[in-house]
Amino acid sequence: QVQLVESGGGLVQAGGSLRLSCAASGRTFGRTAMGWFRQAPGKEREFVATINWSGAGTFYADSVKGRFTISRDNAKNTVYLQMNSLKPEDAAVYYCAGTTRVDLTLERNLYNYWGQGTQVTVSS
């Protein structure tokens, strides 16, 4: 069983930055891919970024490419999402997700574990 706890959300002005963290428990953390998703009010949960088991591979949604960076520290069982140049349309609840797969994983239904989410609000 894997438990995920996100932190780091908050209110930021457009153009600002936030760093989200996801602390994971479970023996398999360092051997599986991880992802970040987000959900804005009235919208479906959407893919943001994924990282493979080692951290050597990453993939991003077009909407965040060049602004967001996903990384992981397997020694600390933690995944990060550095968000720069934030826009009002980035405002959402951000969820950390875990899968049993080792490679980059974009599909929401391939993730088995989800955190409770952390709110990101971007003022214009």
Side-chain angles (χ1 to χ4, degrees):
Q1 187 71 14
V2 175
Q3 292 186 324
L4 306 172
V5 179
E6 303 99 333
S7 61
L11 172 64
V12 64
Q13 287 189 331
S17 299
L18 281 175
R19 188 195 196 199
L20 305 184
S21 298
C22 172
S25 64
R27 295 176 297 169
T28 62
F29 174 81
R31 300 194 292 269
T32 60
M34 297 290 292
W36 286 96
F37 288 75
R38 66 186 182 186
Q39 188 168 18
K43 296 187 177 181
E44 291 196 355
R45 193 170 299 187
E46 66 175 2
F47 167 78
V48 175
T50 182
I51 189 166
N52 76 338
W53 71 275
S54 69
T58 59
F59 189 85
Y60 300 91
D62 287 343
S63 58
V64 307
K65 198 174 300 181
R67 300 187 298 121
F68 289 12
T69 303
I70 187 172
S71 62
R72 68 190 297 162
D73 185 339
N74 287 345
K76 296 182 178 180
N77 279 12
T78 302
V79 178
Y80 304 97
L81 185 67
Q82 177 67 44
M83 306 186 295
N84 298 330
S85 302
L86 282 161
K87 305 175 181 179
E89 52 263 41
D90 293 319
V93 177
Y94 282 71
Y95 296 91
C96 176
T99 175
T100 55
R101 296 162 52 89
V102 298
D103 295 323
L104 303 176
T105 303
L106 282 67
E107 298 84 358
R108 187 177 64 185
N109 62 356
L110 295 180
Y111 283 88
N112 310 92
Y113 311 104
W114 294 87
Q116 81 289 350
T118 185
Q119 178 72 50
V120 171
T121 304
V122 184
S123 63
S124 57

